[in-house]
Amino acid sequence: MQKVLITGFEPFGGERVNPSWEVVKQLNDMEFAGARIIARQLPCVFGAALEALNAAIDEVQPVMVLAIGQAGGRTDITLERVAINIDDARIPDNQGQQPIDETIVASGPAAYFSTLPIKAMVNSMREAGIPASVSQTAGTYVCNHVMYGLLHRLSDQQAIKGGFIHIPYLPEQAAAHPGAPSMAANTVLFALELAISIALQVEHDLKVVGGATH
């Protein structure tokens, strides 16, 4: 059976939980769309996160890799279009590292685009009543670091799809951040199930508007 590797992060930035792992761990060993889902947690640490990701890819030998991360403040599920070759950390990672204006891969290109059918995935979520959109930036923290490193790893393995999805705070997190948007874990879980199914079945993405004016 084909395997899909899905990853979430440990908590960071003073949070007690990370919604990405709280949801992703529920997908472990599930089977749908002809594939078995394997979940792994990544450390929120520059360098170490990619080491853990690459080890998981070597172990699982997946046909698709989907990395999930927390984006506190975002109102919907956002499928990242592009990762850029820069680390510029606003806050230290979980080992106190705070790289500024450092390239992720010295000889790598400026950016990589997701190889997932992101617009088809967004469309399926919206049809299911789940707020979702295409995002034009994965930031410059560990999430972008992982997305760029993943796509660099897969750049010579065209048969393996890969990309990154950001999700909002869980309601219990938003309670500590008055005014911050949130999304229930069950809603995110359903959205990720849809995302995986669509990504496994769709070879050519939809050509619909997913851009932004700013």
Side-chain angles (χ1 to χ4, degrees), residues 55-102:
I57 293 172
D58 291 339
E59 172 199 350
V60 175
Q61 296 293 302
V63 297
M64 185 171 73
V65 183
L66 188 56
I68 314 299
Q70 169 190 297
R74 291 195 184 181
T75 59
D76 58 357
I77 294 177
T78 49
L79 286 84
E80 299 299 342
R81 189 196 294 262
V82 60
I84 59 175
N85 191 12
I86 199 74
D87 289 333
D88 193 357
R90 182 181 61 81
I91 60 174
D93 67 14
N94 283 354
Q95 288 188 357
Q97 301 177 102
Q98 191 172 4
I100 297 174
D101 297 340
E102 295 183 10

Short mmCIF file of all heavy atoms in Angstrom, two decimals, residues 55-102:
data_model
loop_
_atom_site.label_atom_id
_atom_site.label_comp_id
_atom_site.label_asym_id
_atom_site.label_seq_id
_atom_site.Cartn_x
_atom_site.Cartn_y
_atom_site.Cartn_z
N ALA A 55 14.80 11.98 7.88
CA ALA A 55 14.84 10.63 8.45
C ALA A 55 13.49 9.94 8.27
O ALA A 55 13.43 8.74 7.96
CB ALA A 55 15.23 10.68 9.92
N ALA A 56 12.42 10.68 8.46
CA ALA A 56 11.08 10.12 8.30
C ALA A 56 10.81 9.74 6.85
O ALA A 56 10.20 8.70 6.57
CB ALA A 56 10.03 11.10 8.81
N ILE A 57 11.25 10.57 5.93
CA ILE A 57 11.08 10.26 4.50
C ILE A 57 11.84 8.99 4.15
O ILE A 57 11.33 8.10 3.45
CB ILE A 57 11.55 11.44 3.62
CG1 ILE A 57 10.62 12.65 3.80
CG2 ILE A 57 11.59 11.02 2.14
CD1 ILE A 57 11.11 13.91 3.11
N ASP A 58 13.07 8.87 4.64
CA ASP A 58 13.87 7.66 4.39
C ASP A 58 13.18 6.42 4.95
O ASP A 58 13.19 5.36 4.34
CB ASP A 58 15.26 7.81 5.01
CG ASP A 58 16.13 8.84 4.31
OD1 ASP A 58 15.84 9.15 3.14
OD2 ASP A 58 17.09 9.33 4.94
N GLU A 59 12.58 6.56 6.12
CA GLU A 59 11.92 5.43 6.78
C GLU A 59 10.63 5.03 6.09
O GLU A 59 10.38 3.85 5.82
CB GLU A 59 11.62 5.79 8.23
CG GLU A 59 10.77 4.78 8.97
CD GLU A 59 10.11 5.34 10.22
OE1 GLU A 59 10.46 6.46 10.64
OE2 GLU A 59 9.24 4.66 10.77
N VAL A 60 9.79 6.02 5.79
CA VAL A 60 8.44 5.76 5.30
C VAL A 60 8.39 5.48 3.81
O VAL A 60 7.57 4.70 3.34
CB VAL A 60 7.52 6.95 5.67
CG1 VAL A 60 6.13 6.78 5.07
CG2 VAL A 60 7.43 7.10 7.18
N GLN A 61 9.27 6.13 3.03
CA GLN A 61 9.24 6.01 1.57
C GLN A 61 7.86 6.38 1.02
O GLN A 61 7.19 5.58 0.37
CB GLN A 61 9.64 4.60 1.14
CG GLN A 61 11.07 4.21 1.50
CD GLN A 61 12.09 5.02 0.71
OE1 GLN A 61 12.11 5.02 -0.52
NE2 GLN A 61 12.97 5.72 1.44
N PRO A 62 7.43 7.61 1.29
CA PRO A 62 6.06 8.01 0.92
C PRO A 62 5.93 8.41 -0.55
O PRO A 62 6.92 8.71 -1.22
CB PRO A 62 5.82 9.23 1.81
CG PRO A 62 7.19 9.86 1.91
CD PRO A 62 8.15 8.70 1.98
N VAL A 63 4.67 8.43 -1.02
CA VAL A 63 4.38 8.97 -2.34
C VAL A 63 4.03 10.45 -2.23
O VAL A 63 3.96 11.16 -3.24
CB VAL A 63 3.22 8.22 -3.02
CG1 VAL A 63 3.61 6.77 -3.27
CG2 VAL A 63 1.93 8.31 -2.20
N MET A 64 3.79 10.91 -0.99
CA MET A 64 3.46 12.31 -0.77
C MET A 64 3.87 12.70 0.64
O MET A 64 3.76 11.90 1.57
CB MET A 64 1.95 12.56 -0.96
CG MET A 64 1.54 14.02 -0.85
SD MET A 64 -0.20 14.26 -1.33
CE MET A 64 -1.05 13.54 0.06
N VAL A 65 4.34 13.94 0.79
CA VAL A 65 4.71 14.47 2.10
C VAL A 65 3.94 15.77 2.30
O VAL A 65 4.02 16.69 1.48
CB VAL A 65 6.22 14.74 2.22
CG1 VAL A 65 6.56 15.22 3.63
CG2 VAL A 65 7.03 13.49 1.86
N LEU A 66 3.22 15.83 3.41
CA LEU A 66 2.41 17.01 3.72
C LEU A 66 2.81 17.49 5.11
O LEU A 66 2.60 16.79 6.10
CB LEU A 66 0.93 16.65 3.69
CG LEU A 66 -0.09 17.77 3.82
CD1 LEU A 66 0.13 18.83 2.75
CD2 LEU A 66 -1.49 17.20 3.70
N ALA A 67 3.42 18.67 5.17
CA ALA A 67 3.85 19.24 6.45
C ALA A 67 2.79 20.25 6.91
O ALA A 67 2.31 21.05 6.11
CB ALA A 67 5.20 19.91 6.31
N ILE A 68 2.46 20.20 8.20
CA ILE A 68 1.42 21.06 8.77
C ILE A 68 2.05 21.91 9.87
O ILE A 68 2.87 21.42 10.65
CB ILE A 68 0.26 20.24 9.37
CG1 ILE A 68 -0.18 19.13 8.41
CG2 ILE A 68 -0.91 21.15 9.73
CD1 ILE A 68 -0.70 19.59 7.08
N GLY A 69 1.65 23.18 9.94
CA GLY A 69 2.19 24.06 10.97
C GLY A 69 1.15 25.03 11.50
O GLY A 69 0.12 25.28 10.87
N GLN A 70 1.43 25.58 12.66
CA GLN A 70 0.56 26.57 13.30
C GLN A 70 0.81 27.95 12.75
O GLN A 70 1.96 28.37 12.60
CB GLN A 70 0.84 26.57 14.81
CG GLN A 70 0.20 27.73 15.57
CD GLN A 70 0.71 27.81 17.00
OE1 GLN A 70 0.51 26.91 17.78
NE2 GLN A 70 1.40 28.91 17.34
N ALA A 71 -0.27 28.66 12.46
CA ALA A 71 -0.17 30.06 12.05
C ALA A 71 -1.17 30.86 12.88
O ALA A 71 -2.27 31.17 12.42
CB ALA A 71 -0.45 30.23 10.57
N GLY A 72 -0.80 31.15 14.12
CA GLY A 72 -1.67 31.92 15.00
C GLY A 72 -1.98 33.27 14.41
O GLY A 72 -1.08 33.99 13.97
N GLY A 73 -3.27 33.62 14.36
CA GLY A 73 -3.69 34.89 13.78
C GLY A 73 -4.35 34.74 12.43
O GLY A 73 -5.12 35.61 12.02
N ARG A 74 -4.05 33.65 11.73
CA ARG A 74 -4.72 33.42 10.45
C ARG A 74 -6.14 32.93 10.71
O ARG A 74 -6.40 32.21 11.67
CB ARG A 74 -3.95 32.42 9.59
CG ARG A 74 -2.63 32.98 9.08
CD ARG A 74 -2.05 32.15 7.96
NE ARG A 74 -0.74 32.66 7.57
CZ ARG A 74 0.01 32.14 6.59
NH1 ARG A 74 -0.44 31.09 5.92
NH2 ARG A 74 1.19 32.65 6.30
N THR A 75 -7.03 33.32 9.80
CA THR A 75 -8.45 33.05 10.01
C THR A 75 -8.92 31.75 9.39
O THR A 75 -10.02 31.27 9.70
CB THR A 75 -9.30 34.19 9.43
OG1 THR A 75 -9.01 34.31 8.02
CG2 THR A 75 -8.98 35.51 10.12
N ASP A 76 -8.12 31.18 8.48
CA ASP A 76 -8.56 29.98 7.78
C ASP A 76 -7.40 29.02 7.58
O ASP A 76 -6.26 29.31 7.96
CB ASP A 76 -9.22 30.35 6.45
CG ASP A 76 -8.30 31.14 5.52
OD1 ASP A 76 -7.15 31.45 5.93
OD2 ASP A 76 -8.71 31.43 4.38
N ILE A 77 -7.68 27.88 6.98
CA ILE A 77 -6.63 26.95 6.61
C ILE A 77 -5.97 27.46 5.35
O ILE A 77 -6.65 27.75 4.36
CB ILE A 77 -7.21 25.54 6.39
CG1 ILE A 77 -7.75 25.00 7.74
CG2 ILE A 77 -6.17 24.60 5.81
CD1 ILE A 77 -8.40 23.65 7.65
N THR A 78 -4.66 27.60 5.37
CA THR A 78 -3.96 28.21 4.25
C THR A 78 -2.96 27.23 3.64
O THR A 78 -2.07 26.72 4.33
CB THR A 78 -3.25 29.51 4.68
OG1 THR A 78 -2.49 29.26 5.87
CG2 THR A 78 -4.24 30.60 4.96
N LEU A 79 -3.12 26.99 2.36
CA LEU A 79 -2.22 26.10 1.63
C LEU A 79 -1.12 26.94 1.00
O LEU A 79 -1.39 27.85 0.20
CB LEU A 79 -2.99 25.31 0.57
CG LEU A 79 -3.87 24.20 1.17
CD1 LEU A 79 -5.20 24.73 1.64
CD2 LEU A 79 -4.04 23.06 0.21
N GLU A 80 0.10 26.67 1.38
CA GLU A 80 1.22 27.50 0.96
C GLU A 80 1.61 27.23 -0.49
O GLU A 80 1.77 26.09 -0.91
CB GLU A 80 2.42 27.27 1.87
CG GLU A 80 2.17 27.62 3.34
CD GLU A 80 1.82 29.08 3.55
OE1 GLU A 80 2.09 29.91 2.66
OE2 GLU A 80 1.26 29.39 4.62
N ARG A 81 1.78 28.32 -1.23
CA ARG A 81 2.18 28.22 -2.62
C ARG A 81 3.70 28.11 -2.78
O ARG A 81 4.20 27.38 -3.63
CB ARG A 81 1.69 29.44 -3.41
CG ARG A 81 1.88 29.31 -4.92
CD ARG A 81 1.75 30.67 -5.61
NE ARG A 81 0.43 31.23 -5.53
CZ ARG A 81 -0.50 31.17 -6.49
NH1 ARG A 81 -0.24 30.51 -7.60
NH2 ARG A 81 -1.67 31.74 -6.33
N VAL A 82 4.45 28.87 -1.94
CA VAL A 82 5.88 29.02 -2.19
C VAL A 82 6.68 29.04 -0.89
O VAL A 82 6.22 29.55 0.13
CB VAL A 82 6.14 30.31 -3.01
CG1 VAL A 82 5.66 31.54 -2.26
CG2 VAL A 82 7.60 30.44 -3.41
N ALA A 83 7.88 28.49 -0.94
CA ALA A 83 8.84 28.58 0.17
C ALA A 83 10.08 29.29 -0.35
O ALA A 83 10.54 29.04 -1.47
CB ALA A 83 9.22 27.18 0.67
N ILE A 84 10.65 30.19 0.47
CA ILE A 84 11.81 30.96 0.02
C ILE A 84 13.06 30.52 0.79
O ILE A 84 12.99 30.04 1.92
CB ILE A 84 11.59 32.47 0.19
CG1 ILE A 84 11.30 32.84 1.65
CG2 ILE A 84 10.45 32.93 -0.72
CD1 ILE A 84 11.20 34.35 1.89
N ASN A 85 14.20 30.73 0.17
CA ASN A 85 15.47 30.24 0.69
C ASN A 85 16.08 31.22 1.69
O ASN A 85 17.17 31.76 1.48
CB ASN A 85 16.43 29.99 -0.48
CG ASN A 85 17.68 29.22 -0.06
OD1 ASN A 85 17.75 28.68 1.05
ND2 ASN A 85 18.67 29.17 -0.94
N ILE A 86 15.37 31.41 2.80
CA ILE A 86 15.87 32.34 3.82
C ILE A 86 15.30 31.98 5.19
O ILE A 86 14.13 31.62 5.30
CB ILE A 86 15.53 33.81 3.48
CG1 ILE A 86 16.42 34.79 4.25
CG2 ILE A 86 14.07 34.11 3.69
CD1 ILE A 86 17.83 34.85 3.75
N ASP A 87 16.16 32.03 6.17
CA ASP A 87 15.74 31.97 7.58
C ASP A 87 15.90 33.36 8.16
O ASP A 87 16.99 33.94 8.10
CB ASP A 87 16.63 31.00 8.37
CG ASP A 87 16.38 29.53 8.02
OD1 ASP A 87 15.27 29.21 7.58
OD2 ASP A 87 17.32 28.73 8.20
N ASP A 88 14.83 33.90 8.73
CA ASP A 88 14.86 35.22 9.35
C ASP A 88 13.89 35.17 10.52
O ASP A 88 12.73 35.55 10.40
CB ASP A 88 14.48 36.30 8.33
CG ASP A 88 14.80 37.70 8.82
OD1 ASP A 88 15.27 37.85 9.98
OD2 ASP A 88 14.58 38.66 8.06
N ALA A 89 14.38 34.67 11.65
CA ALA A 89 13.51 34.32 12.77
C ALA A 89 13.13 35.53 13.62
O ALA A 89 14.00 36.21 14.18
CB ALA A 89 14.19 33.27 13.64
N ARG A 90 11.83 35.78 13.75
CA ARG A 90 11.36 36.87 14.60
C ARG A 90 11.56 36.55 16.07
O ARG A 90 11.79 37.43 16.90
CB ARG A 90 9.87 37.14 14.31
CG ARG A 90 9.27 38.30 15.10
CD ARG A 90 7.79 38.47 14.76
NE ARG A 90 7.00 37.29 15.07
CZ ARG A 90 6.53 36.98 16.29
NH1 ARG A 90 6.80 37.79 17.32
NH2 ARG A 90 5.81 35.91 16.48
N ILE A 91 11.44 35.25 16.40
CA ILE A 91 11.66 34.78 17.77
C ILE A 91 12.61 33.59 17.74
O ILE A 91 12.73 32.92 16.71
CB ILE A 91 10.33 34.37 18.46
CG1 ILE A 91 9.64 33.24 17.68
CG2 ILE A 91 9.40 35.58 18.61
CD1 ILE A 91 8.41 32.66 18.33
N PRO A 92 13.28 33.28 18.85
CA PRO A 92 14.15 32.10 18.88
C PRO A 92 13.35 30.82 18.72
O PRO A 92 12.17 30.76 19.08
CB PRO A 92 14.81 32.18 20.26
CG PRO A 92 14.66 33.60 20.70
CD PRO A 92 13.37 34.06 20.11
N ASP A 93 14.00 29.79 18.19
CA ASP A 93 13.36 28.48 18.13
C ASP A 93 13.45 27.80 19.49
O ASP A 93 13.88 28.42 20.48
CB ASP A 93 13.96 27.62 17.00
CG ASP A 93 15.42 27.21 17.26
OD1 ASP A 93 15.92 27.36 18.39
OD2 ASP A 93 16.06 26.74 16.30
N ASN A 94 13.08 26.55 19.57
CA ASN A 94 13.03 25.87 20.87
C ASN A 94 14.39 25.50 21.44
O ASN A 94 14.47 24.97 22.55
CB ASN A 94 12.14 24.62 20.78
CG ASN A 94 10.66 24.98 20.78
OD1 ASN A 94 10.28 26.14 20.96
ND2 ASN A 94 9.81 23.99 20.60
N GLN A 95 15.45 25.78 20.69
CA GLN A 95 16.80 25.62 21.22
C GLN A 95 17.53 26.95 21.32
O GLN A 95 18.74 26.99 21.51
CB GLN A 95 17.61 24.63 20.37
CG GLN A 95 17.16 23.19 20.55
CD GLN A 95 18.08 22.20 19.86
OE1 GLN A 95 19.04 22.56 19.18
NE2 GLN A 95 17.80 20.92 20.04
N GLY A 96 16.76 28.03 21.21
CA GLY A 96 17.34 29.37 21.37
C GLY A 96 18.02 29.92 20.14
O GLY A 96 18.62 31.01 20.20
N GLN A 97 17.94 29.22 19.02
CA GLN A 97 18.55 29.72 17.79
C GLN A 97 17.66 30.79 17.16
O GLN A 97 16.44 30.65 17.13
CB GLN A 97 18.74 28.59 16.77
CG GLN A 97 19.59 27.44 17.24
CD GLN A 97 19.65 26.35 16.20
OE1 GLN A 97 20.63 26.21 15.47
NE2 GLN A 97 18.58 25.56 16.11
N GLN A 98 18.27 31.83 16.64
CA GLN A 98 17.52 32.87 15.97
C GLN A 98 18.29 33.36 14.74
O GLN A 98 18.83 34.46 14.72
CB GLN A 98 17.23 34.04 16.92
CG GLN A 98 16.21 35.03 16.37
CD GLN A 98 15.78 36.06 17.40
OE1 GLN A 98 16.30 36.10 18.52
NE2 GLN A 98 14.82 36.90 17.03
N PRO A 99 18.33 32.54 13.68
CA PRO A 99 19.06 32.93 12.47
C PRO A 99 18.41 34.14 11.80
O PRO A 99 17.18 34.26 11.77
CB PRO A 99 18.96 31.69 11.58
CG PRO A 99 17.73 30.98 12.06
CD PRO A 99 17.68 31.22 13.54
N ILE A 100 19.22 35.03 11.30
CA ILE A 100 18.74 36.23 10.62
C ILE A 100 19.42 36.33 9.26
O ILE A 100 20.65 36.31 9.16
CB ILE A 100 19.03 37.49 11.45
CG1 ILE A 100 18.28 37.43 12.79
CG2 ILE A 100 18.64 38.75 10.68
CD1 ILE A 100 18.61 38.56 13.74
N ASP A 101 18.61 36.40 8.23
CA ASP A 101 19.10 36.54 6.85
C ASP A 101 20.10 35.46 6.47
O ASP A 101 21.12 35.73 5.83
CB ASP A 101 19.71 37.93 6.64
CG ASP A 101 18.71 39.05 6.80
OD1 ASP A 101 17.49 38.78 6.71
OD2 ASP A 101 19.14 40.20 7.04
N GLU A 102 19.80 34.22 6.85
CA GLU A 102 20.65 33.09 6.49
C GLU A 102 19.94 32.20 5.48
O GLU A 102 18.76 31.91 5.62
CB GLU A 102 21.00 32.27 7.74
CG GLU A 102 21.85 33.02 8.76
CD GLU A 102 22.23 32.15 9.95
OE1 GLU A 102 22.00 30.92 9.88
OE2 GLU A 102 22.73 32.70 10.95
#
